Amino acid sequence: MATSSSAATEQARGSFNSRRVFILAAIGSAVGLGNIWRFPYVAYENGGGAFIVPYLVALLTAGIPFLFLDYALGHRGRGGAPLSFARLRRRTEALGWWMVGVCFVIGVYYAAVVAWAVRYTGFSFDQAWGDDPNGFFFNSFLQSSEPSVNFDIVPGVAMPLLIVWVAVLIIMAMGVSKGVGATSMVFIPLLMLTFSILVVRSLFLPGAAVGLDALFAPDWSTLADGGVWAAAFGQIFFSLSVGFGVMITYASYVGRKTDMTSSGLVVGFSNSSFELLAGIGVFSALGFIAQAQGVAVGEVASGGIGLAFVAFPAIISEAPVVHLSGSSSLAAW
């Protein structure tokens, strides 16, 4: 009777259609801002090519083991973070609720950034940022000297933010299989394809080799710096989404006989591969910008928002692409 009741409960909760769908959803949770706008700059600031050593150590000794722990908790507990911890031991339930709080903050932050990206997709067609991407982003678009949490309504951000939240709610309402799973099956391969094309194209930009040399030239002396190792472990935890409760929840929607160990290895190494790919693409483009402006790569290299919404538009403006009007900024592709 208990077994049939448990089976009925799991059927009512829903589940991922297959292990492949789960892996794509988990990769979608792991791959994000930490890969594209954080890893390249962290690596550049912490020894370049030498940073790969502490990064791999962090991945193998902390990232993947903690990812396995998240999977084990969710797969065994068959619930979100609070329920999984409560079923492990009642006194640990508070840890799960702490993770829910962290996810709430991240969700609010990510929704805003995605809304900016939606808006900038439209801006890219006519290069609305003009000759001053920095001034346009902060003064015209955000209408603030720096991004901050407040209750001011910015018309250019409010509408795309509403669209993002409506889309999120619809995906959640559709459930694990038809919502999260189906979305991951479409958009994660699309992300990998389009980003790979972008990276390959960036490798052929003038000055790309200079940017890659700046990123990968190793400074082995940094391996004696504890701060570099701390940065590597911090990057792993940030980019793999371990300890946030997301992986615990996802793992609860996977069949009990699914091989979670190999799934975790695929997710972990896929995430790190994407970070390396992002680093190659970003610094190839930064090398192009540095050469175009006649400055060192270090003067145009930045992390976070400055990279995503200031440097990238500058790349689009300065790169040899054909404009919609038929003219080109520097030369045809």
Side-chain angles (χ1 to χ4, degrees):
M1 182 66 70
T3 302
S4 61
S5 176
S6 177
T9 301
E10 290 201 17
Q11 185 175 5
R13 290 182 73 237
S15 62
F16 289 111
N17 290 335
S18 66
R19 175 171 169 265
R20 181 179 63 175
V21 177
F22 163 70
I23 288 175
L24 287 175
I27 290 175
S29 175
V31 170
L33 304 181
N35 304 76
I36 297 174
W37 78 15
R38 192 174 189 273
F39 172 78
Y41 190 66
V42 169
Y44 172 72
E45 286 286 285
N46 290 277
F51 182 74
I52 301 298
V53 175
Y55 176 83
L56 288 177
V57 172
L59 173 65
L60 296 175
T61 61
I64 290 179
F66 274 97
L67 188 62
F68 286 167
L69 177 60
D70 276 2
Y71 285 177
L73 285 170
H75 203 223
R76 177 184 181 277
R78 313 309 289 176
L83 182 57
S84 293
F85 273 102
R87 286 176 172 170
L88 179 67
R89 180 169 294 183
R90 174 59 64 179
R91 287 181 295 179
T92 63
E93 182 179 349
L95 290 174
W97 287 111
W98 171 261
M99 292 179 177
V100 171
V102 171
C103 284
F104 174 78
V105 174
I106 293 175
V108 172
Y109 176 70
Y110 262 54
V113 175
V114 172
W116 300 346
V118 170
R119 187 71 170 157
Y120 260 68
T121 300
F123 291 156
S124 66
F125 287 101
D126 60 357
Q127 298 181 12
W129 49 77
D131 297 327
D132 184 15
N134 185 76
F136 175 82
F137 178 67
F138 290 105
N139 300 327
S140 301
F141 182 58
L142 293 184
Q143 299 178 16
S144 175
S145 59
E146 62 180 17
S148 60
V149 178
N150 56 57
F151 295 98
D152 297 336
I153 297 178
V154 181
V157 179
M159 185 53 66
L161 182 59
L162 177 62
I163 293 173
V164 169
W165 275 115
V166 169
V168 169
L169 292 175
I170 290 174
I171 292 172
M172 291 176 64
M174 293 176 67
V176 177
S177 178
K178 296 181 180 180
V180 176
T183 304
S184 300
M185 285 290 290
V186 174
F187 287 103
I188 299 306
L190 182 63
L191 169 65
M192 298 299 180
L193 176 62
T194 54
F195 199 77
S196 296
I197 293 173
L198 177 64
V199 170
V200 170
R201 183 62 190 92
S202 70
L203 289 173
F204 292 93
L205 291 174
V210 177
L212 293 177
D213 183 66
L215 174 61
F216 289 112
D219 180 3
W220 299 111
S221 64
T222 59
L223 296 182
D225 185 352
V228 172
W229 289 85
F233 278 85
Q235 175 61 30
I236 286 295
F237 278 97
F238 187 88
S239 66
L240 267 182
S241 298
V242 293
F244 294 167
V246 178
M247 296 303 187
I248 295 176
T249 303
Y250 277 5
S252 72
Y253 289 101
V254 180
R256 291 187 178 277
K257 296 183 179 180
T258 302
D259 183 356
M260 301 301 290
T261 302
S262 61
S263 299
L265 291 174
V266 171
V267 172
F269 285 108
S270 294
N271 175 75
S272 294
S273 298
F274 191 89
E275 287 194 320
L276 184 60
L277 187 69
I280 292 172
V282 166
F283 269 82
S284 294
L286 291 178
F288 167 74
I289 292 181
Q291 179 170 297
Q293 297 179 359
V295 298
V297 173
E299 295 184 40
V300 297
S302 64
I305 291 171
L307 175 61
F309 293 97
V310 176
F312 281 176
I315 293 168
I316 295 175
S317 296
E318 296 185 45
V321 299
V322 178
H323 289 234
L324 295 179
S325 62
S327 61
S328 59
S329 57
L330 297 177
W333 279 90

